[in-house]
Amino acid sequence: MLRAQTGMELKLLLRNGEQVGLTLIIPLLLEFFFNLPMLYSLDGRRIDFVVPSVLALAVMSASFTGLAIGTGFERKYAVLKRLGATALPRRILLLGKTCAVLILQVLQSGLICGFGFVLGWHPHGDPFLAAALLVVGTFAFGGLGLLLAGTVRAEVTLAAANLAWLVLLFAGGIAIPLNRYGAAQDVLRFLPSAALSGGLHRVLQGPASSAGLGIGLSLATLALWALLALPAAARWFRWE
């Protein structure tokens, strides 16, 4: 049943041309824009910071903001109400939506990394660790997005998801390095966006063995967010 639900959710995602365009094109434009030395200076090669940041941003945008807004409007237009009248369990619906986004992100990550190579990106770390961070990050952000969409009205979901996206973008080490926030970085590093972008930076910008503890902390932080958000979404998600 999970495979069938994931397939249906993936088809719905791919049929939404506007969302696919935003998911696949906007990250490439941001990758090009953030690589221009016009916002702030960075230590080291700029593209080596930009690619992990855009990967984290893409995961957050698709798994949290896109999933929350799409699911919120499915509730508004009674799509979920009709599904709730079927034998489809709530946890299968939520896992199917999350797995469909995960499959789309495989394509998304390939495009971002490929464009990064064109711009001169030189990754150095373990690609399997990077993949683990992306997968766990997807489940963490997906759980948060579904929790938001399943508990508040669609109009509130739209505003809250976009506001949270901005906060996580600028306070989570994606657009601006965390070390620019001084002592506050000790708290901000536990945001899911900071854990994902920080882990990806550590994996892809240097030898993994020299930053193993930091990567482990990032993975543990994301896993904790996922373990909190997904059960909470399954517990409080409302069909209508």
Side-chain angles (χ1 to χ4, degrees):
M1 185 178 288
L2 175 60
R3 183 186 302 174
Q5 184 63 26
T6 300
M8 190 193 74
E9 295 290 346
L10 185 60
K11 287 178 183 176
L12 291 175
L13 277 176
L14 295 176
R15 286 176 181 173
N16 189 338
E18 182 180 353
Q19 184 168 349
V20 171
L22 290 173
T23 301
L24 299 181
I25 295 176
I26 293 298
L28 300 183
L29 294 175
L30 290 175
E31 191 171 4
F32 177 78
F33 176 73
F34 282 131
N35 194 43
L36 299 176
M38 54 188 295
L39 297 178
Y40 43 79
S41 60
L42 289 172
D43 298 329
R45 300 177 73 249
R46 192 176 192 87
I47 189 64
D48 290 340
F49 174 82
V50 168
V51 174
S53 292
V54 173
L55 283 171
L57 176 65
V59 170
M60 183 175 72
S61 299
S63 304
F64 176 68
T65 313
L67 188 57
I69 293 174
T71 306
F73 278 96
E74 284 181 352
R75 282 184 63 211
K76 179 178 180 180
Y77 296 120
V79 174
L80 296 183
K81 180 180 179 180
R82 294 186 178 91
L83 286 175
T86 69
L88 180 68
R90 186 182 308 177
R91 58 184 175 82
I92 295 297
L93 171 70
L94 301 183
L95 280 175
K97 286 181 174 294
T98 305
C99 290
V101 171
L102 182 61
I103 293 171
L104 184 62
Q105 283 178 181
V106 172
L107 175 61
Q108 189 181 41
S109 299
L111 288 174
I112 292 170
C113 292
F115 191 49
F117 286 125
V118 172
L119 296 176
W121 180 45
H122 296 153
H124 303 284
D126 186 343
F128 294 104
L129 271 177
L133 285 162
L134 292 173
V135 171
V136 180
T138 296
F139 281 97
F141 281 111
L144 291 170
L146 291 169
L147 178 62
L148 177 64
T151 53
V152 302
R153 292 186 295 113
E155 295 80 0
V156 178
T157 298
L158 178 64
N162 283 316
L163 178 60
W165 184 87
L166 284 173
V167 171
L168 292 171
L169 172 65
F170 287 103
I174 293 178
I176 300 173
L178 277 184
N179 57 19
R180 303 298 177 92
Y181 292 97
Q185 65 179 303
D186 293 335
V187 176
L188 296 177
R189 71 174 70 250
F190 293 104
L191 290 173
S193 54
L196 180 56
S197 65
L200 288 173
H201 283 127
R202 291 186 186 94
V203 170
L204 298 174
Q205 286 186 303
S209 59
S210 66
L213 181 61
I215 296 168
L217 181 61
S218 295
L219 270 172
T221 302
L222 288 170
L224 180 60
W225 278 103
L227 290 172
L228 291 174
L230 285 170
R235 170 67 178 81
W236 288 297
F237 190 88
R238 298 198 303 264
W239 295 94
E240 56 183 304

